[in-house]
Amino acid sequence: MNFEQTEERRMLADSLSRLLADRCDPALRMKVAYAAPYHSPELWAALVEMGALHALVDEDHGGFGGAGFDIATVFEALGAALCPEPVLPALLAARLLVAAGADAGPLLAGDLRYAVGLFEMDGTALDEIETTADGGRLTGRKSVVYGGPGADRFLIVARDGARLSLHEVAASDAQVLPYAMIDGGGAAEVILDAAPARLLMADAGAAVQDALDAGALALSAEALGGMETALALTVDYLKQRRQFGRPIGSNQALQHRTVELVTEIAQARSIVILAASRMGTADQSRSVSMCKHLCGRVAQRVAEEAIQMHGGIAMTWEAPVSHYAKRLVMIDAQLGDADHHLHRVMAGLQAV
């Protein structure tokens, strides 16, 4: 397998990293966390202007990427900078709009913000969806809709007998209850009471699973970027913090723990590369679930170890590592945690 990025992806990664270094410091995360709209409209506009969303869609549908490695490149940079912008819901929506043959142009240009209503209060399995469509109207409730605060349109997955269908609903036609997740990012409950909807796909099961696979890969790559930064912050702290006249990083036990994190993050990078390479193949879902399981597990450990080795300072709001730790824990929970994806692989990728 070729582990080298293409020239175009290196340029994308460099441009995105420079933008985020200039516009997305830890102070921004602290400013927008837990406070509506839970992100920075100015940073969102800058990401749109540089074409970050276009990298998530192929050329035939108005973008310039759309492959697994394009998704991983974008989200690894977002994770490294702890970027609070709702790029994940944009990816999910773009995947579904393209699959439905709908125009993704307004989303890519930043003219419309989309969020995707997938799961409901009972869990994260597609066979537990109970939202129903009747005569062009939807009734049901979607829980933890990422990017729901401030969305202009919702793509809602509903049940039509044994099939899943995809509908578009204007935010003004739904009751949207916004709130912050544990990492400070925005989500919403979306309540639909005979809400008028436009049918996009009558049989959307395969498209929804593809969007979930893309989202799980994106979150794994974001975790990879976040883990690398959290580790760098921890190593820097071990070099600077002194006890008994010497840096605490000279303690061999802490060195061993740090090396173990380096090894586990390297394993996570390898499986992200594998999952990215298998997007669009028959082994896509299996590889992505394996990736999300491993990255979720490693992310949890990196978060815990970073806090342990920083000590009490890591529990304070002012310490950037505390925000990275919360985000890494949240990533594991999003779109199915490590246990969920392990069960999917063990069950032969059946819905569980």
Side-chain angles (χ1 to χ4, degrees), residues 66-88:
F69 285 109
D70 299 306
I71 295 170
T73 297
V74 170
F75 277 85
E76 183 178 349
L78 297 175
L82 201 62
C83 179
E85 301 309 302
V87 184
L88 176 64

Side-chain angles (χ1 to χ4, degrees), residues 59-345:
E59 292 185 16
D60 292 340
H61 297 93
F64 58 78
F69 285 109
D70 299 306
I71 295 170
T73 297
V74 170
F75 277 85
E76 183 178 349
L78 297 175
L82 201 62
C83 179
E85 301 309 302
V87 184
L88 176 64
L91 168 65
L92 298 175
R95 253 358 231 206
L96 291 171
L97 288 171
V98 167
D103 183 13
L107 181 154
L108 301 181
D111 297 330
L112 289 176
R113 270 190 53 196
Y114 281 84
V116 180
L118 289 165
F119 304 118
E120 300 175 5
M121 296 185 70
D122 289 336
T124 56
L126 296 179
D127 60 2
E128 295 173 330
I129 291 175
E130 296 181 352
T131 298
T132 57
D134 183 13
R137 293 184 175 271
L138 297 182
T139 299
R141 175 172 180 161
K142 295 296 180 179
S143 292
V144 198
V145 178
Y146 307 129
D152 304 298
R153 299 275 196 280
F154 290 98
L155 299 182
I156 301 295
V157 180
R159 182 159 299 284
D160 183 6
R163 301 186 305 180
L164 295 177
S165 54
L166 180 68
H167 307 257
E168 183 177 338
V169 176
S172 57
D173 291 324
Q175 183 181 4
V176 181
L177 307 176
Y179 54 85
M181 300 183 294
I182 63 169
D183 65 336
E189 301 294 295
V190 178
I191 301 173
L192 306 162
D193 186 7
R198 180 168 71 99
L199 177 65
L200 296 181
M201 291 184 74
D203 188 359
V208 170
Q209 187 57 61
D210 174 72
L212 287 173
D213 289 343
L217 171 63
L219 287 168
S220 299
E222 184 185 349
L224 181 60
M227 288 188 286
E228 291 277 15
T229 304
L231 177 61
L233 290 171
T234 302
V235 170
D236 187 57
Y237 181 78
L238 294 178
K239 291 178 179 178
Q240 294 184 28
R241 179 75 167 91
R242 299 178 68 86
Q243 277 187 337
F244 307 112
R246 61 177 185 168
I248 61 174
S250 62
N251 184 298
Q252 194 173 57
L254 295 181
Q255 293 175 5
H256 288 171
R257 289 165 66 178
T258 303
V259 169
E260 288 176 2
L261 294 184
V262 171
T263 302
E264 295 211 29
I265 293 172
Q267 291 178 324
R269 180 173 295 280
S270 294
I271 203 164
V272 168
I273 292 171
L274 177 65
S277 73
R278 291 184 175 171
M279 289 295 289
T281 72
D283 204 29
Q284 169 179 305
S285 285
R286 178 174 180 272
S287 298
V288 167
S289 278
M290 291 169 61
C291 178
K292 185 65 163 61
H293 163 70
L294 178 61
C295 289
R297 191 163 51 79
V298 176
Q300 288 272 5
R301 181 173 184 192
V302 170
E304 293 168 0
E305 288 281 52
I307 291 174
Q308 284 283 326
M309 286 192 275
H310 272 81
I313 190 69
M315 302 300 291
T316 65
W317 179 263
E318 292 77 15
V321 73
S322 70
H323 296 273
Y324 277 94
K326 284 188 286 187
R327 180 62 192 145
L328 290 173
V329 171
M330 188 69 233
I331 285 175
D332 177 47
Q334 289 184 275
L335 300 184
D337 63 10
D339 288 343
H340 171 85
H341 284 279
L342 177 61
H343 292 161
R344 288 195 74 237
V345 174

